[in-house]
Amino acid sequence: MTTEITDALCPFCGCNCDDITVVVDNNRITGVKHACRVGTAKIMGHHRIETPMMRADKKSEFKKVSYDEAIEGAARMLAMSKRPLLYGWASALCEVHKKGILLAEEMGAIIDNTATVCHGPSTLAVHEKGLPSSTLGQIKNRADVVVFWGSNPVHAHPRHMGRYSVFTKGFFQEKGRRGRKVIVVDVRKTETASMADEFVQVQQGSDYLVISAMRAILSGHADVVPDSAGGVQKEQLVKLVDTLKGAKFCGIFFGMGLTQSISRYKNIDNAISLTTELNSFTKCVIMPMRGHYNVAGFGQVCSWETGFATAVDFARGAPYYNPGETAANDLLMRKETDAAMIIAGDAGAHFPADSVRHLAKIPVVQIDPYWNATTEVSNIVIPVAVCGIEVEGTAYRMDGVSLRYRKMIEPTLSTDVEVLERITERVKELRGV
Ligand code: SF4
């Protein structure tokens, strides 16, 4: 029997589009409407791991095993570890995060999420400065000036401009694109920059300098700004500041071009200060372009469970947090961790080479619906149902709005929650707790 699920949510990027129609035929997804190409590919399914697998060492071939064997192997591996790392979480629902934090606490492990290689610096900046932000709905209804700084939504968040920020019509923005001025600040002319009204090209690693020059101009000290700052002519910077000041409602979206370039969290700190100062002249908000659909959710769950958003070390018996010391790559680069569990994130594809080299040397268990680069450095692979498609639960959109995902089809594999619960119980038994 064919059914259509309407107003479904896409579990791929931080836009968390909630207008998707999914066609289901005999517990199989046969069609997806309204989603972008990447969202459609995720919902239709690809590269699924069909069965749990184990191998004695990383050079041998995987052998298919039962869930019981894989979970026993994973529990033993983690229980024997002196410095376990639990990493990933961004493509899983908040209910999974809760179970993961419990496991980390039981083992005295370090738990970290994919923000460590994307918006982790934003979290540090928010600690220092707060975040003058809004919902995406406010941007849609009010923003007449939109800035994308170090982000390329045409590729990374394909429906962002259409649904929330640029092309869509809003309550106070009836003209849609014609009523909005779009500015892109980046080191190269991206696809998003090609569609913008103004492109500001900064020199690689000079964002901090450019923001500082803008703040000086905004505060009436244009005289101290040289003819060119960070590769941008002073004339263009003055015009840019005038545009922002003259906006009725300005929305600044920033991406990894700002968080992962030189000065990292200080770039965000400076951009938040610029936003705050612009509020003396107009209404201005700033928002990180979160990548995975629930990377923001891990920050929420981890904060309310431990007091910290990410990179939490339970080795002392109480949560301890010090990025630079307790983040996943700090641990791997120091070759400190002796076992890792990678779940709902692909460390193998996104970590620096030295970190991946260390992962290739230590026991690794992967919990994921998909075969990816992390599979290649794993000893035990436990496939799970896809959160947001085969499992219901909660996720947080990039603007911090929580959304409830419904199940589209029945799962044929165990869920993350079931696997984590079983591993936790067995780890407790093995540790004699
Ligand atoms: S923009 Fe993001 S959330 Fe929306 S359909 Fe595409 S991948 Fe899914």
Side-chain angles (χ1 to χ4, degrees), residues 225-258:
V225 175
D227 291 344
S228 163
V232 187
Q233 292 301 307
K234 180 176 179 177
E235 205 178 303
Q236 190 177 21
L237 288 173
V238 170
K239 190 175 146 216
L240 178 60
V241 170
D242 278 348
T243 304
L244 301 188
K245 267 169 77 175
K248 288 198 182 99
F249 189 113
C250 172
I252 302 173
F253 295 98
F254 65 96
M256 286 168 63
L258 205 55

Side-chain angles (χ1 to χ4, degrees), residues 93 95-96 293 384-393 405-411 413-417:
L93 296 160
E95 290 75 2
V96 180
Y293 79 98
V384 281
V386 184
C387 285
I389 296 175
E390 298 165 341
V391 186
E392 66 172 13
Y405 278 70
R406 288 174 291 157
K407 197 193 284 191
M408 298 174 192
I409 53 174
E410 288 301 322
L413 297 168
S414 286
T415 66
D416 298 86
V417 166

